[in-house]
Amino acid sequence: PQTDIVFLKVHKSASSTVMNILFRFGETHNLTFAFPVGGGNQLYYPHHFLARFVQGFSPRNPRQFNILCHHMRFLQPEVQKVVPRSAVYFSILRNPVQLMESSFVYYKGASAFSRVRSLEEFLSQPDHYYDPTSGDRHYAKNLMTFDFGFNPDGDVSPERVQLMIRAIEASFDFLLISEYFEESMVLLKEMLCWDLDSVVFFPLNARDKSSKSPLSDSVVEKIKAWNKLDWEIYTHFNRTFWERIDRDIGRERMRWEVKALQARQAELARTCLQGTGSVAPKDIKDSSLRPLQHGGARILGYNLKQGLDEEMERTCRRLVTPELQYSSTLYKKQFPPKP
């Protein structure tokens, strides 16, 4: 099994669920994490990543960590200072249309969105609301391009797009696709030589359907045009994702693997969860399992069954612990507070 991992946690792309998988694997295998200084939840995002943002790293005594997975803006030469050379690099992408709709709801307070009532209103004249000099501009345009370290306002010529895609391919071993999350987890398991239980998941940081709105065809086209760089990245890596599955796994085996994953998750849901799945924030009984609520989104969570034995309770709790609480627990374990 691979134990040295860099995961570029792209915003609003089911990346919190992937992070939970990495937290669980790291915890059960006693691995170290490259935590933000002071135990925060982002590596000084939206600045480009620097090794000195990592707790416990210093140039005089360059310490290396097994897993780097907190939000950052990618800069590989700096990343290479804090992880072993053998590290596997991967990330996850999401269709830019859904990503922008999600970003609009979640980051409603961002300067580009704060003066409009709807995404349609923003897209009717985006240049009027979007300021390329504002510090939070990336939430409103080419968010994936930005997270990968590139300029979201950059030239959209085919030559530039090709350079960007080649740079991503040179840095990353593979990219997952959030629309095909179960297939992505099977691919992740294969690429990292992990077992099935390491990649089972309950969706985390997901919002309830009440804050989701269908998009008209004209809005969809406007989003693609406004996020042209993201759209080019996504369509390219969506294609290579399936090419890799055909080459390394095959569609028939993939269907079988997805069924096995679904069956294991259904079994764990029956064992671990009260009711059939996620619940609204107000219905989460254990406050330590309540996810952070942000923007206009209502983020769902889970209730665990009572009376589980100690080992099963621990397994179930890990599966449903929100990102901030889990990160904080692991940080205190790796850097125990001084008495």
Side-chain angles (χ1 to χ4, degrees), residues 274 281 283-291 302-304 306 313 317 320-322 325:
Q274 288 181 28
D283 299 323
I284 301 168
K285 299 182 179 81
D286 181 343
S287 61
S288 71
L289 297 179
R290 200 170 290 142
Y302 298 90
N303 286 316
L304 290 180
Q306 303 296 303
E313 212 272 346
R317 184 168 285 274
V320 301
T321 298
Q325 289 93 311

Side-chain angles (χ1 to χ4, degrees), residues 47-70:
H47 298 286
H48 272 106
F49 176 80
L50 295 175
R52 62 184 171 81
F53 296 164
V54 173
Q55 179 77 45
F57 176 87
S58 83
R60 289 185 303 284
N61 177 24
R63 182 179 167 192
Q64 296 200 308
F65 302 86
N66 299 113
I67 298 177
L68 174 61
C69 64
H70 286 71

Side-chain angles (χ1 to χ4, degrees), residues 1 62 86 120 139 142 202 233 239 259 269 287 311 332:
S86 58
E120 287 84 343
Y139 294 125
N142 290 317
F202 295 149
I233 290 173
R239 190 178 70 250
K259 279 205 178 83
S287 61
E311 180 141 354
K332 286 176 189 144

Side-chain angles (χ1 to χ4, degrees), residues 191-208:
M191 299 303 292
L192 300 179
C193 298
W194 288 6
D195 62 9
L196 182 68
D197 270 16
S198 296
V199 298
V200 297
F201 65 92
F202 295 149
L204 295 177
N205 207 31
R207 60 194 169 115
D208 73 347

Side-chain angles (χ1 to χ4, degrees), residues 10 16 48 71 80 83 90 96 114 117 165 171 179 192 199 205-206 208 232 245 261 264 305-306 337:
V10 169
S16 294
H48 272 106
H71 272 309
Q80 287 169 328
V83 294
F90 78 99
S114 59
R117 285 185 301 278
I165 285 170
S171 299
E179 282 76 18
L192 300 179
V199 298
N205 207 31
D208 73 347
E232 295 290 345
I245 284 170
L261 178 63
R264 181 65 179 131
K305 273 187 178 159
Q306 303 296 303

Side-chain angles (χ1 to χ4, degrees), residues 11-12 94 96-124 126 129 137-141 143 207 211-213 215 219 223 226-227 294-297:
H11 285 76
K12 314 315 306 158
R94 183 182 186 185
V97 175
Q98 280 71 47
L99 186 141
M100 184 160 200
E101 187 273 334
S102 177
S103 186
F104 180 80
V105 174
Y106 203 78
Y107 300 112
K108 187 67 184 70
S111 57
F113 296 149
S114 59
R115 291 182 292 143
V116 294
R117 285 185 301 278
S118 66
L119 184 54
E120 287 84 343
E121 189 182 342
F122 172 79
L123 289 163
S124 66
Y129 300 110
R137 76 191 194 284
H138 49 284
Y139 294 125
K141 186 178 188 183
L143 181 50
R207 60 194 169 115
S211 63
K212 295 180 183 174
S213 47
L215 303 170
V219 166
I223 292 175
W226 178 247
N227 297 279
H294 197 83

